[in-house]
Amino acid sequence: MAGRQRTGTPTLEDVAALAGVGRGTVSRVVNNAAGVKDSTRRAVERAIAELGYVPNHAARSLAGRRADAVALVVTEAEWRLFGEPFFAETVRAVSDALADSGMHLLLTLVRGAAERRRFVEYARGGRVDGVLLVSAHGGEPLPDMLAELGIATVLLGRRSADEPVSYVDVDNVGGARTAVRYLLGSGRSAIATITGPLDMYVAQCRLRGYREALGRGTERDAAPAPGAPDDSWVAEGDFTEESGRRAMRELLARHPGLDAVLVASDTMAAGAVHALRAAGRRVPDDVAVIGFDDFPLAQHIHPRLTTVRQPVDEIGRALVRLLLEELEDSAVAWRHVVLRTELVRRDSA
């Protein structure tokens, strides 16, 4: 291969052929993305050095009408949600994952039909190469509108069990189920839950895990198992601290003897702990509390919060990897990635 003759500027395809890998693998190495074996990465780097290949983002942008920009789109109606750790942690993780790719990150809020139409026209005009979409509620049409235009799109989470668009999600059912089983194993028997907004699949899945652990089965089951709690043990929140406080007060009014609560986010769990304290209940002595996320907030709540950890950095890397692969090869099929969760035991349960 040392005597190989070639003319012209080496391309990504030339590097792939010399290294014996696919074009997408070369792209991941060039963009320093995760998911490439060390031996494969070394082979690609040797091919790059031998061929003298230099990634030229500006030339690629002109030749392929690329904008070298990715839009991170949040489909929420309320600006106040940007004060929630979930959004800040997501932006940080995605920004870190894109840092070496040469791509700009544009943050966009889509709050309704008019902003949705404007964003679609903006994307149609070639101003972004791809879209990462966060916090899509059930029935949100934006992913389908972008797919119809052929714009690479990856969701954080999914709108339903049958989501057709590429997504990165976590095992929300398993995480909630593990948390409730831990509470049962520690002697708790009157366990309530505070959900997220139930028009979101993530909230439905965490509720399903709660029900399965308590013998209720799936949401399609017609009746609970003997001894399983009815729906009066469920209160709906909207992932904000105030909704956690309100939902906890509702649950205490319905069931003064409850001794544990699974809360579908750390932010709502902070509100629940405040409500319990205001009602004279000790955490965890009287009521154990488990959250969901394991953002830095969890260690600043008193007592420190037992919670279900989402691997936010891994989520960011997976979102970016899927999007970059789709940008490099538009024929790549939609892919679905589900990451594991982990119960982190601290002081609140």
Side-chain angles (χ1 to χ4, degrees), residues 52 71 73:
V73 179

Coordinates of all heavy atoms in Angstrom, one line a residue, residues 52 71 73:
G52 N -2.7 11.6 3.9 CA -2.7 13.0 4.0 C -4.1 13.7 4.0 O -4.2 14.8 3.6
A71 N -29.2 22.2 15.4 CA -30.2 22.8 16.3 C -30.6 21.9 17.4 O -31.0 20.7 17.2 CB -31.4 23.3 15.5
V73 N -33.5 21.6 19.8 CA -34.9 22.2 19.8 C -35.6 21.6 21.1 O -35.7 20.4 21.3 CB -35.7 21.9 18.6 CG1 -37.1 22.4 18.7 CG2 -34.9 22.4 17.3

